[in-house]
Structures are given as structure tokens and as C-alpha cells.
Amino acid sequence: MSKIVTIKDKQFKPYISQQQISDAVKNIANTINVELEKDLPLFLVVLNGSFMFAADLLKEVSIPCEISFIKVASYHGTTSSGTVTELIGLTEDITGRTVVIVEDIVDTGITLEKLITVLNRKNVKQIKVATVLLKPESYNKEFTIDYFGMKIPNDFVVGYGLDYDGQGRNLKEIYVLA
Ligand code: IMP
């Protein structure tokens, strides 16, 4: 495994190897291949961070499926409810579908909660969540994280799609703040 990388003002050290990531992704795919075989799942990939995971995961998914890419945008609406969450890029009719949210990391779960709230309004059949990394010490929502690669402590990580201030997404391994 390679050594310390510097991104802007911070140094990161190797944390999770390519092999470990690859094994974790295959495990997730194997479970999905069994559990969702008859569901024609729609994988909803949450950009930007999940692009690398999505590519690797979908290569290992062998059941009939569809894939679509979205961005979650939050803005202060003019209604009394305050913040409005919008899904950019979702053009499919997802009524009655099994949707698998593909995330890079679940930290507090705030992003996921917003996403699930919007999807639930669209009368989907079921929502599943797949993420490479989960920070259980930070996660305080009730939604089940159906498929995760690894649990990690509350440390800041980069690589494999995850960024520090826009950079580091291209790293093949996952690095942690040194
Ligand atoms: P949450 O809403 O707190 O669960 O955070 C979700 C988003 O925060 C993720 O999709 C990431 O973009 C970002 N994030 C959380 N933890 C990290 C990290 O350790 N490194 C890089 N980005 C992170």
C-alpha cells in the first residue's frame, strides 16, 4: 500500500486497502444478488462521492437491475417548512419500485434521512441502503443500513470517491487523517 498523501493543508495515511474494499464490495453485491433477485432493483447512486463504489458494485451485481444517478440539493424554500430537499436527476417513475440508495459514507445520516423522506413520498415499494462506510458513533437515525462495507470510527477519511475539500476522490485506497 502507498504511503502518506498530502491534500491541501492536511496529511492522510493509508487506512483501508484496495483488497479490503474490493472484498467488502463483493460481499455487498453477493447479498443483493440473493435478496433482491426478483425485485428488479433501481440503484440510485448519490453523486459525487459514490461514483467509484457504484461502478465496482454494479460490476458484481448479476441480477436484472437499473441504475440512475442523482444529486441531493437543499435550499431554503419560500414555504413555512424551511429547508426543501430536491433530487436532481431523478427522471424515472419509481412508483412501486425497489430502490437501492448507493452512498459512499453514512455519517450522521442527515443526508440519508432527507433522501428517504423524498423517496417515500413517491410511493416506492421498498428502500434499501448500500454504503461503503458507516460511522456508527455518529449515526443517530432509525433507518436500517441494509448493506455496508465497513464500520469505522468517527475519523475523517478520503479516497475511493470521498473528498477533502473537493480533492482525493480519485485515490484507490481509503486514507485517514494522519
Ligand atoms: P451525513 O449526512 O452526516 O451522513 O454525511 C453525509 C456526507 O458527508 C457524505 O455523503 C460525505 O459526502 C460527507 N462525509 C461524511 N464523513 C466524511 C468523511 O470522513 N470524509 C469525507 N466525506 C465525509
Coordinates of all heavy atoms in Angstrom, one line a residue, residues 67-154:
I67 N -30.0 1.5 -13.2 CA -29.2 2.4 -12.4 C -29.4 3.8 -12.9 O -29.7 4.1 -14.0 CB -27.7 2.0 -12.6 CG1 -26.8 2.9 -11.7 CG2 -27.2 2.0 -14.0 CD1 -25.4 2.4 -11.6
S68 N -29.5 4.7 -11.9 CA -29.7 6.1 -12.2 C -28.8 6.9 -11.2 O -28.6 6.5 -10.1 CB -31.2 6.4 -12.0 OG -31.5 7.7 -12.6
F69 N -28.5 8.1 -11.6 CA -27.6 9.0 -10.8 C -28.3 10.2 -10.4 O -28.9 10.9 -11.2 CB -26.3 9.3 -11.6 CG -25.5 8.1 -12.0 CD1 -25.9 7.4 -13.2 CD2 -24.5 7.7 -11.3 CE1 -25.2 6.3 -13.6 CE2 -23.8 6.5 -11.6 CZ -24.1 5.8 -12.8
I70 N -28.2 10.6 -9.1 CA -28.8 11.7 -8.6 C -27.9 12.6 -7.7 O -26.9 12.1 -7.3 CB -30.1 11.4 -7.7 CG1 -29.7 10.5 -6.5 CG2 -31.1 10.7 -8.6 CD1 -30.8 10.4 -5.5
K71 N -28.3 13.8 -7.5 CA -27.7 14.7 -6.6 C -28.8 15.2 -5.6 O -29.9 15.4 -6.0 CB -27.1 15.9 -7.2 CG -25.7 15.6 -7.8 CD -24.9 16.9 -8.1 CE -23.6 16.5 -8.6 NZ -22.6 17.6 -8.5
V72 N -28.4 15.3 -4.3 CA -29.3 15.9 -3.4 C -29.0 17.3 -3.2 O -27.9 17.7 -2.8 CB -29.2 15.1 -2.0 CG1 -30.2 15.6 -1.0 CG2 -29.4 13.6 -2.2
A73 N -30.0 18.2 -3.4 CA -29.8 19.6 -3.2 C -30.7 20.1 -2.1 O -31.9 19.8 -2.1 CB -30.0 20.4 -4.5
S74 N -30.2 20.9 -1.2 CA -31.0 21.5 -0.2 C -31.0 23.0 -0.3 O -30.0 23.6 -0.5 CB -30.5 21.1 1.2 OG -30.7 19.8 1.5
Y75 N -32.2 23.6 -0.3 CA -32.2 25.1 -0.3 C -33.4 25.6 0.6 O -34.3 24.8 0.9 CB -32.4 25.6 -1.8 CG -33.6 25.1 -2.4 CD1 -34.8 25.9 -2.4 CD2 -33.6 23.9 -3.1 CE1 -35.9 25.4 -3.1 CE2 -34.8 23.4 -3.7 CZ -35.9 24.2 -3.7 OH -37.0 23.7 -4.3
H76 N -33.3 26.8 0.9 CA -34.3 27.4 1.8 C -35.5 27.8 0.9 O -35.4 28.7 0.1 CB -33.8 28.6 2.6 CG -32.9 28.1 3.6 ND1 -33.3 27.4 4.8 CD2 -31.5 28.1 3.7 CE1 -32.2 27.1 5.5 NE2 -31.1 27.5 4.9
G77 N -36.6 27.1 1.0 CA -37.8 27.4 0.1 C -38.5 28.5 0.7 O -38.2 29.1 1.7
T78 N -39.6 28.9 -0.1 CA -40.4 30.0 0.3 C -41.5 29.6 1.2 O -42.3 30.4 1.8 CB -41.0 30.7 -0.9 OG1 -41.6 29.7 -1.7 CG2 -39.9 31.5 -1.7
T79 N -41.7 28.3 1.4 CA -42.8 27.8 2.3 C -42.3 27.9 3.7 O -41.2 28.0 4.1 CB -43.1 26.3 2.0 OG1 -41.9 25.5 2.2 CG2 -43.5 26.1 0.5
S80 N -43.3 27.7 4.6 CA -43.0 27.8 6.1 C -42.2 26.6 6.6 O -41.6 26.7 7.7 CB -44.3 27.8 6.8 OG -45.1 26.7 6.5
S81 N -42.1 25.5 5.8 CA -41.4 24.4 6.3 C -39.9 24.6 6.3 O -39.1 23.7 6.7 CB -41.8 23.1 5.5 OG -41.4 23.3 4.1
G82 N -39.4 25.6 5.7 CA -37.9 25.9 5.8 C -37.2 25.2 4.6 O -37.5 25.5 3.5
T83 N -36.3 24.3 5.0 CA -35.4 23.7 4.0 C -36.2 22.8 3.1 O -36.9 21.9 3.6 CB -34.3 23.0 4.7 OG1 -33.7 23.8 5.7 CG2 -33.2 22.6 3.7
V84 N -35.9 22.9 1.8 CA -36.6 22.0 0.8 C -35.5 21.1 0.2 O -34.4 21.6 -0.1 CB -37.2 22.8 -0.3 CG1 -37.9 21.9 -1.3 CG2 -38.2 23.8 0.3
T85 N -35.8 19.8 0.2 CA -34.8 18.9 -0.4 C -35.3 18.5 -1.8 O -36.4 18.2 -2.0 CB -34.6 17.6 0.4 OG1 -34.2 18.0 1.7 CG2 -33.6 16.7 -0.2
E86 N -34.4 18.6 -2.8 CA -34.7 18.3 -4.1 C -33.8 17.2 -4.7 O -32.6 17.3 -4.4 CB -34.6 19.6 -5.0 CG -35.3 19.5 -6.3 CD -34.9 20.6 -7.3 OE1 -34.2 21.5 -6.8 OE2 -35.3 20.5 -8.4
L87 N -34.3 16.3 -5.4 CA -33.4 15.3 -6.0 C -33.2 15.7 -7.5 O -34.2 15.8 -8.3 CB -34.1 13.9 -6.0 CG -34.4 13.3 -4.6 CD1 -34.9 11.9 -4.8 CD2 -33.3 13.5 -3.7
I88 N -32.0 16.0 -7.8 CA -31.7 16.4 -9.2 C -31.3 15.2 -10.0 O -30.5 14.4 -9.5 CB -30.5 17.4 -9.2 CG1 -30.9 18.6 -8.4 CG2 -30.1 17.8 -10.6 CD1 -29.8 19.6 -8.1
G89 N -32.0 15.0 -11.1 CA -31.6 13.9 -12.0 C -32.5 12.7 -11.9 O -32.4 11.8 -12.8
L90 N -33.5 12.7 -11.0 CA -34.4 11.5 -10.9 C -35.5 11.7 -11.9 O -36.5 12.5 -11.7 CB -34.9 11.3 -9.5 CG -35.8 10.1 -9.4 CD1 -35.1 8.8 -9.6 CD2 -36.5 10.1 -8.0
T91 N -35.5 11.0 -13.1 CA -36.5 11.2 -14.1 C -37.4 10.0 -14.2 O -38.5 10.1 -14.7 CB -35.8 11.4 -15.5 OG1 -34.9 10.4 -15.7 CG2 -35.2 12.8 -15.5
E92 N -37.0 8.9 -13.6 CA -37.8 7.7 -13.7 C -39.0 7.8 -12.8 O -39.0 8.4 -11.8 CB -37.0 6.5 -13.1 CG -35.9 6.0 -14.0 CD -34.6 6.8 -13.8 OE1 -34.6 7.7 -13.0 OE2 -33.6 6.4 -14.4
D93 N -40.1 7.1 -13.2 CA -41.2 6.9 -12.3 C -40.9 5.7 -11.4 O -40.7 4.6 -11.9 CB -42.5 6.5 -13.2 CG -43.7 6.2 -12.3 OD1 -43.6 6.5 -11.1 OD2 -44.7 5.7 -12.8
I94 N -40.8 6.0 -10.1 CA -40.3 5.0 -9.2 C -41.4 4.4 -8.4 O -41.2 3.6 -7.4 CB -39.1 5.5 -8.3 CG1 -39.6 6.7 -7.5 CG2 -37.9 5.8 -9.2 CD1 -38.5 7.1 -6.4
T95 N -42.6 4.6 -8.7 CA -43.8 4.1 -8.0 C -43.7 2.5 -8.0 O -43.5 1.9 -9.1 CB -45.1 4.5 -8.8 OG1 -45.1 5.9 -9.0 CG2 -46.3 4.1 -7.9
G96 N -43.8 2.0 -6.8 CA -43.8 0.5 -6.7 C -42.5 -0.2 -6.9 O -42.4 -1.4 -6.9
R97 N -41.4 0.6 -7.0 CA -40.1 0.0 -7.3 C -39.3 -0.3 -6.0 O -39.6 0.4 -4.9 CB -39.2 1.0 -8.1 CG -39.7 1.3 -9.5 CD -39.7 0.1 -10.4 NE -38.4 -0.5 -10.6 CZ -37.5 -0.2 -11.5 NH1 -37.8 0.7 -12.4 NH2 -36.3 -0.8 -11.6
T98 N -38.4 -1.2 -6.1 CA -37.4 -1.4 -5.0 C -36.2 -0.5 -5.4 O -35.6 -0.7 -6.4 CB -36.9 -2.9 -5.0 OG1 -38.0 -3.7 -4.5 CG2 -35.7 -3.1 -4.1
V99 N -35.9 0.4 -4.5 CA -34.8 1.4 -4.7 C -33.7 1.1 -3.8 O -33.9 1.0 -2.6 CB -35.4 2.8 -4.5 CG1 -34.2 3.8 -4.6 CG2 -36.5 3.2 -5.5
V100 N -32.5 1.0 -4.3 CA -31.3 0.8 -3.5 C -30.5 2.1 -3.6 O -30.0 2.5 -4.6 CB -30.4 -0.3 -4.0 CG1 -29.2 -0.5 -3.0 CG2 -31.2 -1.6 -4.1
I101 N -30.4 2.8 -2.5 CA -29.7 4.1 -2.4 C -28.2 3.7 -2.3 O -27.8 2.9 -1.4 CB -30.1 4.9 -1.2 CG1 -31.5 5.4 -1.3 CG2 -29.1 6.1 -1.0 CD1 -32.1 6.0 -0.1
V102 N -27.4 4.2 -3.2 CA -25.9 3.9 -3.2 C -25.2 5.1 -2.7 O -25.1 6.1 -3.3 CB -25.5 3.5 -4.6 CG1 -24.0 3.1 -4.6 CG2 -26.3 2.3 -5.1
E103 N -24.6 4.9 -1.5 CA -23.9 6.0 -0.8 C -22.4 5.7 -0.6 O -22.1 4.5 -0.5 CB -24.5 6.3 0.6 CG -25.6 7.3 0.6 CD -25.1 8.8 0.4 OE1 -24.0 9.0 0.1 OE2 -25.9 9.7 0.7
D104 N -21.6 6.7 -0.5 CA -20.2 6.5 -0.2 C -20.0 6.3 1.3 O -19.3 5.3 1.8 CB -19.3 7.7 -0.6 CG -19.9 9.0 -0.2 OD1 -20.9 9.1 0.4 OD2 -19.2 10.1 -0.6
I105 N -20.6 7.1 2.1 CA -20.5 7.0 3.6 C -21.7 7.5 4.3 O -22.4 8.5 3.8 CB -19.2 7.8 4.0 CG1 -18.9 7.6 5.5 CG2 -19.4 9.3 3.7 CD1 -17.5 8.1 5.9
V106 N -22.1 6.9 5.3 CA -23.2 7.4 6.2 C -22.5 7.8 7.5 O -22.0 7.0 8.2 CB -24.3 6.3 6.4 CG1 -25.3 6.9 7.4 CG2 -24.9 5.9 5.1
D107 N -22.7 9.1 7.7 CA -22.0 9.7 8.9 C -23.2 10.0 9.9 O -23.6 9.1 10.6 CB -21.3 11.0 8.5 CG -20.5 11.7 9.6 OD1 -20.4 11.1 10.7 OD2 -20.0 12.7 9.3
T108 N -23.7 11.2 10.0 CA -24.8 11.5 10.9 C -26.1 10.9 10.4 O -27.1 10.7 11.1 CB -25.1 13.0 11.0 OG1 -25.4 13.5 9.7 CG2 -23.8 13.7 11.5
G109 N -26.2 10.6 9.1 CA -27.4 10.1 8.5 C -28.4 11.2 8.0 O -29.5 10.9 7.5
I110 N -28.0 12.5 8.2 CA -28.9 13.6 7.8 C -29.2 13.6 6.3 O -30.3 13.7 5.9 CB -28.2 14.9 8.2 CG1 -28.3 15.0 9.7 CG2 -29.0 16.1 7.6 CD1 -27.5 16.2 10.3
T111 N -28.1 13.3 5.5 CA -28.3 13.3 4.0 C -29.3 12.2 3.7 O -30.2 12.3 2.9 CB -27.0 13.0 3.3 OG1 -26.0 13.9 3.8 CG2 -27.1 13.2 1.8
L112 N -29.1 11.0 4.3 CA -29.9 9.8 4.0 C -31.3 10.1 4.4 O -32.3 9.7 3.7 CB -29.3 8.7 4.8 CG -29.8 7.3 4.5 CD1 -29.5 6.9 3.1 CD2 -29.2 6.3 5.5
E113 N -31.5 10.7 5.5 CA -32.9 11.0 6.0 C -33.7 11.9 5.0 O -34.8 11.6 4.7 CB -32.8 11.7 7.4 CG -34.2 11.9 8.0 CD -34.1 12.6 9.3 OE1 -33.5 13.6 9.5 OE2 -34.6 12.0 10.3
K114 N -33.0 12.9 4.5 CA -33.6 13.8 3.5 C -34.0 13.0 2.3 O -35.1 13.1 1.7 CB -32.7 14.9 3.1 CG -32.5 15.9 4.2 CD -31.5 17.0 3.7 CE -31.2 18.0 4.8 NZ -30.1 18.9 4.5
L115 N -33.1 12.2 1.8 CA -33.3 11.4 0.6 C -34.5 10.4 0.8 O -35.4 10.3 -0.1 CB -32.0 10.6 0.4 CG -31.7 9.9 -0.9 CD1 -32.1 10.8 -2.1 CD2 -30.3 9.5 -1.0
I116 N -34.5 9.7 1.9 CA -35.5 8.7 2.2 C -36.9 9.4 2.3 O -37.9 8.9 1.8 CB -35.2 7.9 3.4 CG1 -34.0 7.0 3.1 CG2 -36.4 7.1 3.9 CD1 -33.5 6.2 4.3
T117 N -36.9 10.6 2.9 CA -38.2 11.3 3.0 C -38.8 11.6 1.7 O -40.0 11.4 1.4 CB -38.0 12.6 3.8 OG1 -37.4 12.3 5.1 CG2 -39.3 13.3 4.1
V118 N -37.9 12.1 0.8 CA -38.4 12.5 -0.6 C -38.8 11.2 -1.3 O -39.9 11.2 -2.0 CB -37.3 13.2 -1.4 CG1 -37.8 13.5 -2.8 CG2 -36.9 14.5 -0.7
L119 N -38.1 10.1 -1.2 CA -38.4 8.9 -2.0 C -39.7 8.3 -1.5 O -40.5 7.8 -2.2 CB -37.2 7.9 -1.9 CG -36.0 8.3 -2.6 CD1 -34.9 7.2 -2.3 CD2 -36.2 8.4 -4.1
N120 N -39.9 8.4 -0.2 CA -41.1 7.8 0.4 C -42.4 8.5 -0.1 O -43.4 7.8 -0.2 CB -41.1 7.9 1.9 CG -40.5 6.6 2.5 OD1 -40.6 5.5 2.0 ND2 -39.8 6.7 3.7
R121 N -42.3 9.7 -0.4 CA -43.4 10.5 -1.0 C -43.8 10.0 -2.4 O -44.8 10.2 -2.9 CB -43.1 12.0 -1.0 CG -43.3 12.6 0.3 CD -43.3 14.2 0.1 NE -42.6 14.8 1.2 CZ -41.5 15.5 1.0 NH1 -41.0 15.8 -0.2 NH2 -40.8 16.0 2.0
K122 N -42.9 9.3 -3.0 CA -43.1 8.8 -4.4 C -43.6 7.4 -4.4 O -43.6 6.7 -5.5 CB -41.8 8.9 -5.2 CG -41.3 10.4 -5.3 CD -40.1 10.5 -6.1 CE -39.5 11.9 -6.1 NZ -40.3 12.8 -6.9
N123 N -44.1 6.9 -3.3 CA -44.8 5.6 -3.2 C -43.9 4.4 -3.8 O -44.4 3.6 -4.6 CB -46.1 5.6 -4.0 CG -47.1 6.6 -3.3 OD1 -47.2 6.6 -2.1 ND2 -47.7 7.4 -4.1
V124 N -42.7 4.4 -3.4 CA -41.8 3.2 -3.7 C -42.3 2.0 -3.0 O -43.0 2.1 -2.0 CB -40.3 3.5 -3.5 CG1 -39.8 4.6 -4.4 CG2 -40.1 3.9 -2.0
K125 N -41.9 0.8 -3.5 CA -42.3 -0.4 -2.8 C -41.4 -0.6 -1.5 O -41.9 -0.8 -0.4 CB -42.1 -1.6 -3.7 CG -42.4 -2.9 -3.1 CD -42.1 -4.1 -4.1 CE -42.1 -5.4 -3.4 NZ -41.4 -6.4 -4.2
Q126 N -40.1 -0.4 -1.7 CA -39.2 -0.5 -0.6 C -37.9 0.2 -0.9 O -37.5 0.4 -2.0 CB -38.9 -2.0 -0.2 CG -38.3 -2.8 -1.3 CD -37.9 -4.2 -0.9 OE1 -37.7 -4.5 0.3 NE2 -37.8 -5.1 -1.9
I127 N -37.3 0.7 0.2 CA -36.0 1.4 0.0 C -34.9 0.6 0.8 O -35.1 0.3 2.0 CB -36.1 2.8 0.6 CG1 -37.1 3.7 -0.1 CG2 -34.7 3.5 0.5 CD1 -37.4 5.0 0.5
K128 N -33.8 0.3 0.1 CA -32.7 -0.3 0.7 C -31.5 0.7 0.7 O -31.5 1.5 -0.2 CB -32.3 -1.6 0.0 CG -33.4 -2.6 0.0 CD -33.5 -3.4 1.3 CE -34.5 -4.5 1.2 NZ -34.6 -5.2 2.5
V129 N -30.6 0.5 1.6 CA -29.4 1.5 1.6 C -28.1 0.7 1.5 O -27.9 -0.3 2.3 CB -29.4 2.3 2.9 CG1 -28.2 3.2 3.0 CG2 -30.7 3.1 3.1
A130 N -27.3 1.0 0.6 CA -26.0 0.4 0.5 C -24.9 1.5 0.6 O -25.0 2.5 -0.1 CB -25.8 -0.3 -0.9
T131 N -23.9 1.3 1.5 CA -22.9 2.3 1.6 C -21.5 1.6 1.9 O -21.5 0.5 2.4 CB -23.2 3.2 2.8 OG1 -22.1 4.2 2.9 CG2 -23.3 2.5 4.2
V132 N -20.5 2.2 1.4 CA -19.2 1.6 1.6 C -18.8 1.7 3.1 O -18.5 0.7 3.8 CB -18.0 2.3 0.9 CG1 -16.7 1.6 1.0 CG2 -18.4 2.5 -0.6
L133 N -19.0 2.9 3.7 CA -18.6 3.1 5.1 C -19.7 3.6 5.9 O -20.6 4.3 5.4 CB -17.4 4.1 5.1 CG -16.2 3.8 4.4 CD1 -15.2 4.9 4.4 CD2 -15.5 2.5 5.0
L134 N -19.7 3.2 7.2 CA -20.7 3.6 8.1 C -20.0 4.1 9.4 O -19.1 3.4 9.9 CB -21.7 2.5 8.4 CG -22.7 2.6 9.6 CD1 -23.7 3.7 9.3 CD2 -23.4 1.3 9.8
K135 N -20.4 5.2 9.9 CA -19.8 5.7 11.2 C -20.8 5.6 12.3 O -21.6 6.5 12.5 CB -19.4 7.2 11.1 CG -18.2 7.5 10.1 CD -17.8 8.9 10.1 CE -16.6 9.2 9.3 NZ -16.3 10.7 9.1
P136 N -20.9 4.4 13.0 CA -22.0 4.1 13.9 C -22.0 5.1 15.1 O -23.1 5.3 15.6 CB -21.7 2.7 14.4 CG -20.5 2.2 13.6 CD -19.9 3.3 12.9
E137 N -20.8 5.6 15.5 CA -20.8 6.5 16.7 C -21.5 7.8 16.3 O -21.9 8.6 17.2 CB -19.4 6.8 17.1 CG -18.6 5.6 17.6 CD -17.1 5.8 17.6 OE1 -16.6 6.9 17.5 OE2 -16.4 4.7 17.6
S138 N -21.6 8.1 15.1 CA -22.1 9.4 14.6 C -23.6 9.2 14.1 O -24.4 10.1 14.2 CB -21.2 9.9 13.5 OG -21.7 11.0 12.9
Y139 N -23.9 8.0 13.6 CA -25.2 7.8 13.0 C -26.3 7.7 14.1 O -26.2 6.9 15.0 CB -25.2 6.5 12.2 CG -26.5 6.2 11.5 CD1 -26.9 7.0 10.5 CD2 -27.2 5.1 11.9 CE1 -28.1 6.7 9.8 CE2 -28.4 4.8 11.2 CZ -28.8 5.6 10.2 OH -30.0 5.3 9.6
N140 N -27.3 8.6 14.0 CA -28.3 8.6 15.0 C -29.7 8.5 14.5 O -30.7 9.0 15.1 CB -28.1 9.8 16.0 CG -28.2 11.1 15.3 OD1 -28.6 11.1 14.1 ND2 -28.0 12.2 15.9
K141 N -29.9 8.0 13.3 CA -31.2 7.9 12.7 C -31.7 6.4 12.8 O -30.9 5.5 13.0 CB -31.2 8.3 11.2 CG -30.6 9.6 10.9 CD -31.5 10.8 11.4 CE -30.8 12.1 11.2 NZ -31.4 13.2 12.0
E142 N -33.0 6.3 12.6 CA -33.6 4.9 12.8 C -33.5 4.0 11.5 O -33.8 2.8 11.6 CB -35.0 5.0 13.4 CG -36.0 5.2 12.3 CD -36.9 6.5 12.6 OE1 -36.3 7.5 12.9 OE2 -38.1 6.4 12.4
F143 N -33.3 4.6 10.4 CA -33.3 3.8 9.2 C -32.2 2.7 9.2 O -31.1 2.9 9.6 CB -33.0 4.6 7.9 CG -33.9 5.8 7.8 CD1 -33.3 7.1 8.1 CD2 -35.3 5.7 7.6 CE1 -34.1 8.2 8.0 CE2 -36.0 6.9 7.6 CZ -35.5 8.1 7.8
T144 N -32.6 1.5 8.8 CA -31.7 0.4 8.7 C -30.7 0.6 7.6 O -31.1 0.9 6.5 CB -32.4 -0.9 8.5 OG1 -33.4 -1.0 9.5 CG2 -31.5 -2.1 8.6
I145 N -29.4 0.4 7.9 CA -28.4 0.4 6.8 C -28.3 -1.0 6.4 O -27.6 -1.8 7.0 CB -27.1 1.0 7.3 CG1 -27.3 2.4 8.0 CG2 -26.1 1.2 6.1 CD1 -27.9 3.5 7.1
D146 N -29.0 -1.4 5.3 CA -29.1 -2.8 4.9 C -27.8 -3.4 4.5 O -27.5 -4.5 4.9 CB -30.1 -2.9 3.7 CG -31.4 -2.3 4.1 OD1 -32.2 -3.0 4.7 OD2 -31.6 -1.1 3.8
Y147 N -27.0 -2.7 3.7 CA -25.7 -3.2 3.2 C -24.6 -2.2 3.4 O -24.7 -1.1 2.9 CB -25.8 -3.5 1.7 CG -27.1 -4.1 1.3 CD1 -28.1 -3.4 0.5 CD2 -27.4 -5.4 1.6 CE1 -29.3 -4.0 0.2 CE2 -28.7 -6.0 1.3 CZ -29.6 -5.3 0.5 OH -30.8 -5.9 0.2
F148 N -23.6 -2.6 4.2 CA -22.5 -1.7 4.4 C -21.2 -2.5 4.3 O -21.1 -3.7 4.6 CB -22.5 -0.9 5.7 CG -22.6 -1.8 7.0 CD1 -21.4 -2.2 7.5 CD2 -23.8 -2.2 7.5 CE1 -21.4 -3.0 8.7 CE2 -23.8 -3.0 8.6 CZ -22.6 -3.4 9.2
G149 N -20.1 -1.8 3.8 CA -18.9 -2.5 3.6 C -18.1 -2.6 4.9 O -17.8 -3.7 5.4
M150 N -17.9 -1.5 5.6 CA -17.2 -1.5 6.9 C -17.7 -0.4 7.8 O -18.1 0.7 7.4 CB -15.7 -1.1 6.6 CG -14.9 -2.4 6.4 SD -13.3 -1.9 5.6 CE -13.8 -2.2 3.9
K151 N -17.6 -0.7 9.1 CA -17.9 0.3 10.1 C -16.6 1.0 10.5 O -15.6 0.2 10.7 CB -18.5 -0.3 11.4 CG -20.0 -0.8 11.1 CD -20.5 -1.4 12.4 CE -22.0 -1.8 12.2 NZ -22.5 -2.5 13.4
I152 N -16.6 2.3 10.6 CA -15.3 3.0 11.0 C -15.6 3.9 12.1 O -16.7 4.4 12.3 CB -14.6 3.7 9.8 CG1 -15.5 4.8 9.3 CG2 -14.2 2.8 8.7 CD1 -14.8 5.8 8.4
P153 N -14.6 4.3 12.9 CA -14.8 5.3 14.0 C -15.0 6.7 13.4 O -14.9 6.8 12.2 CB -13.5 5.2 14.8 CG -12.6 4.3 14.2 CD -13.2 3.7 12.9
N154 N -15.2 7.6 14.2 CA -15.5 9.0 13.8 C -14.3 9.7 13.2 O -14.1 10.9 13.6 CB -16.1 9.8 14.9 CG -17.6 10.0 14.7 OD1 -18.1 9.7 13.6 ND2 -18.3 10.4 15.7

